[in-house]
Amino acid sequence: MNHVHFNMSGMESQNLDHDLSPKKNTVLKLNNGPVVGSRKRPSEGNYEKEKEHCIALFDQWSEADQVEFVERLISRMCHYQHGHINSYLKPMLQRDFITALPAQGLDHIAENILSFLDARSLCSAELVCKEWQRVISEGMLWKKLIERMVRTDPLWKGLSERHQWEKYLFKNRTSEVPPNSYYHSLYPKIIQDIETIEANWRCGRHNLQRIQCRSENSKGVYCLQYDDDKIISGLRDNSIKIWDKQSLECLKILTGHTGSVLCLQYDERVIVTGSSDSTVRVWEVTTGEVLNTLIHHNEAVLHLRFANGLMVTCSKDRSIAVWDMASPTDISLRRVLVGHRAAVNVVDFDDKYIVSASGDRTIKVWSTSTCEFVRTLNGHKRGIACLQYRDRLVVSGSSDNTIRLWDIECGACLRVLEGHEELVRCIRFDNKRIVSGAYDGKIKVWDLQAALDPRAPASTLCLRTLVEHSGRVFRLQFDEFQIISSSHDDTILIWDFLNVSTNGQSEGRSPSRTYTYISR
């Protein structure tokens, strides 16, 4: 341990062990200079001998006795002396544990500590010293930081897949894994990509691809859903068409409905569709075989959602049906929810609530577990055509041309978005944006976080208005990189905000065009 050097004057050395009475006059001196005690005096000739004798005695004591003695000694000092001692001790108490841990064979602990740093802090840590830089490099901490972002952020995950650097992630140290320097240089490139994508959304820069559905008789694409490989669309001509997402070729046409296909949803096993023929059909997603037909509603099935063994359908007949889906062929009716006074145009649900919206101008909330009515959200001045529900937030679009944001728990309307000139037919939101499509043929992109801030001016909420459809926009879906929309004009449009090039040609895609945005 570090020894404290001191000198006691006017005191018999043999009585030094316990006699620290205030009656004794003291002068103390630390190794780094004199400190004024209770009585000032110049150093005398016997100071060095007394000091050495005190140190010799001090060294003979146990650590506990040494600590007790120093505590009592410090308690007799003035504020200035305390400050002086504090300045002396402070650098002695500092430890470079990142350097010390590897010296003890504990590199993994040092790496684990530094792995919690963000990018800016990791850059700073690399500049501390060569040992810190070595720990970061050998621990592949830039790789781990990127992996953490890919696990937690869908934008990073999407970029990793599209730009194909995901193949260098989530692998142990092998010959296939580049050195830490690769990931260090990759990180700012990813940040640049993200900033470019965000700027493209804000400025409306995109490449556009168009699928002409070429319906035989009645034209229009009422619904769609997509993934990385395919787009599945429901058409006014009673068919379901499956398109290759890359080549835009039609892969398969499913027929069987005797009315327009108004709504659909699919997962890795099945496609479920609802039609104006009043039926719900379940199709095998790979073969296109019809697995089940549900006949319950009396009029057109306007919307449906399914997840985790539960399906909810709604109809022009003003009712909502809740179904248990044990399997594609074993679907049974659990409950019918009645309460709306007009066609129920849309439903959404999670484990807590079922949410429905109707032409009667209301949104109704029901308990998912009991199917009991909970509350009504009132505010729209005309019928409601679309909504999405997630966490506490409901976003709805209406034929009053507005979009409303609601808190489902208290029923409060948080914001009204105005800008569309006709009925708002479709709406989706994520953590950043709301995207809406309307019968005015326009798609609008809104800033969700600003819309939730009551202080944000209404004029700042609509980021861009995109105009390319020549007919009513019926349905849209979007992610961090693109919007895919369908319309009465019998087209499906892919608005790509990632692969935007200066010459108007998207990278690796054909055919494609770049359209300028039309400002709000």
Side-chain angles (χ1 to χ4, degrees), residues 196 199-207 496-497 500 514-515 517:
T196 300
N200 289 342
W201 277 95
R202 287 194 305 271
C203 299
R205 289 191 296 266
H206 60 274
N207 278 353
D496 185 351
F497 297 91
V500 178
T514 297
Y515 291 87
Y517 64 88

Side-chain angles (χ1 to χ4, degrees), residues 187-283:
Y187 191 93
K189 293 176 184 176
I190 298 170
I191 297 300
Q192 181 61 51
D193 285 342
I194 291 171
E195 291 174 351
T196 300
I197 292 167
E198 294 298 321
N200 289 342
W201 277 95
R202 287 194 305 271
C203 299
R205 289 191 296 266
H206 60 274
N207 278 353
L208 192 74
Q209 292 177 284
R210 184 190 304 270
I211 298 175
Q212 296 284 358
C213 292
R214 308 188 191 284
S215 301
E216 291 285 336
N217 302 310
S218 51
K219 296 184 181 300
V221 185
Y222 279 129
C223 52
L224 64 83
Q225 184 184 335
Y226 71 86
D227 56 42
D228 290 340
D229 302 316
K230 62 186 175 294
I231 303 169
I232 301 183
S233 58
L235 279 72
R236 191 180 177 192
D237 68 3
N238 309 350
S239 71
I240 299 144
K241 291 186 177 180
I242 303 175
W243 310 86
D244 184 283
K245 181 92 165 17
Q246 304 305 316
S247 69
L248 308 186
E249 297 295 322
C250 184
L251 302 175
K252 194 171 297 181
I253 301 176
L254 310 183
T255 59
H257 279 298
T258 57
S260 299
V261 180
L262 304 178
C263 54
L264 67 82
Q265 184 185 343
Y266 71 85
D267 61 14
E268 66 279 357
R269 298 184 304 161
V270 296
I271 308 167
V272 183
T273 57
S275 168
S276 58
D277 66 11
S278 306
T279 69
V280 174
R281 287 180 180 251
V282 183
W283 316 72

Side-chain angles (χ1 to χ4, degrees), residues 263-334:
C263 54
L264 67 82
Q265 184 185 343
Y266 71 85
D267 61 14
E268 66 279 357
R269 298 184 304 161
V270 296
I271 308 167
V272 183
T273 57
S275 168
S276 58
D277 66 11
S278 306
T279 69
V280 174
R281 287 180 180 251
V282 183
W283 316 72
E284 211 283 329
V285 73
T286 53
T287 66
E289 176 190 358
V290 177
L291 302 176
N292 205 340
T293 302
L294 306 178
I295 302 173
H296 164 75
H297 288 291
N298 297 321
E299 295 190 64
V301 180
L302 301 179
H303 201 250
L304 62 85
R305 302 298 297 165
F306 70 87
N308 302 321
L310 185 71
M311 179 168 68
V312 181
T313 61
C314 63
S315 170
K316 190 177 178 182
D317 65 13
R318 307 182 185 183
S319 75
I320 301 158
V322 183
W323 308 80
D324 289 308
M325 297 181 70
S327 72
T329 56
D330 184 4
I331 302 174
S332 57
L333 184 64
R334 179 195 295 186

Side-chain angles (χ1 to χ4, degrees), residues 301-502:
V301 180
L302 301 179
H303 201 250
L304 62 85
R305 302 298 297 165
F306 70 87
N308 302 321
L310 185 71
M311 179 168 68
V312 181
T313 61
C314 63
S315 170
K316 190 177 178 182
D317 65 13
R318 307 182 185 183
S319 75
I320 301 158
V322 183
W323 308 80
D324 289 308
M325 297 181 70
S327 72
T329 56
D330 184 4
I331 302 174
S332 57
L333 184 64
R334 179 195 295 186
R335 186 85 173 263
V336 176
L337 309 182
V338 179
H340 282 294
R341 293 176 286 106
V344 185
N345 294 318
V346 59
V347 289
D348 205 352
F349 73 92
D350 64 8
D351 291 339
K352 189 172 186 181
Y353 294 125
I354 298 170
V355 186
S356 58
S358 166
D360 65 9
R361 308 180 184 183
T362 68
I363 297 169
K364 291 190 180 294
V365 182
W366 319 75
S367 167
T368 302
S369 57
T370 67
C371 293
E372 296 300 317
F373 172 74
V374 177
R375 66 177 58 88
T376 299
L377 310 183
N378 289 297
H380 278 296
K381 296 178 173 57
R382 298 186 67 181
I384 302 163
C386 56
L387 67 73
Q388 183 184 349
Y389 158 55
R390 191 180 72 191
D391 300 326
R392 290 185 62 139
L393 184 63
V394 175
V395 181
S396 58
S398 165
S399 57
D400 64 13
N401 303 351
T402 69
I403 297 162
R404 287 181 180 253
L405 282 66
W406 312 81
D407 183 329
I408 196 170
E409 295 294 349
C410 65
C413 180
L414 306 174
R415 173 75 78 164
V416 180
L417 304 178
E418 297 178 308
H420 281 294
E421 297 164 11
E422 294 187 45
L423 178 152
V424 182
R425 180 65 172 79
C426 49
I427 198 146
R428 304 299 295 170
F429 69 88
D430 61 10
N431 294 328
K432 299 176 184 175
R433 305 176 185 90
I434 302 169
V435 182
S436 59
Y439 277 6
D440 58 13
K442 298 174 182 176
I443 293 172
K444 287 184 177 288
V445 181
W446 311 80
D447 186 332
L448 174 60
Q449 295 307 316
L452 292 172
D453 182 354
R455 299 165 299 178
S459 60
T460 65
L461 303 181
C462 184
L463 301 175
R464 286 296 154 195
T465 300
L466 307 171
V467 180
E468 185 57 34
H469 282 296
S470 59
R472 297 171 170 179
V473 181
F474 283 142
R475 193 60 52 93
L476 63 81
Q477 182 186 340
F478 78 98
D479 56 43
E480 291 82 3
F481 309 104
Q482 63 198 331
I483 301 169
I484 300 186
S485 59
S486 66
S487 168
H488 191 267
D489 64 15
D490 211 39
T491 67
I492 297 170
L493 299 185
I494 303 171
W495 314 71
D496 185 351
F497 297 91
L498 174 63
N499 300 304
V500 178
S501 54
T502 55

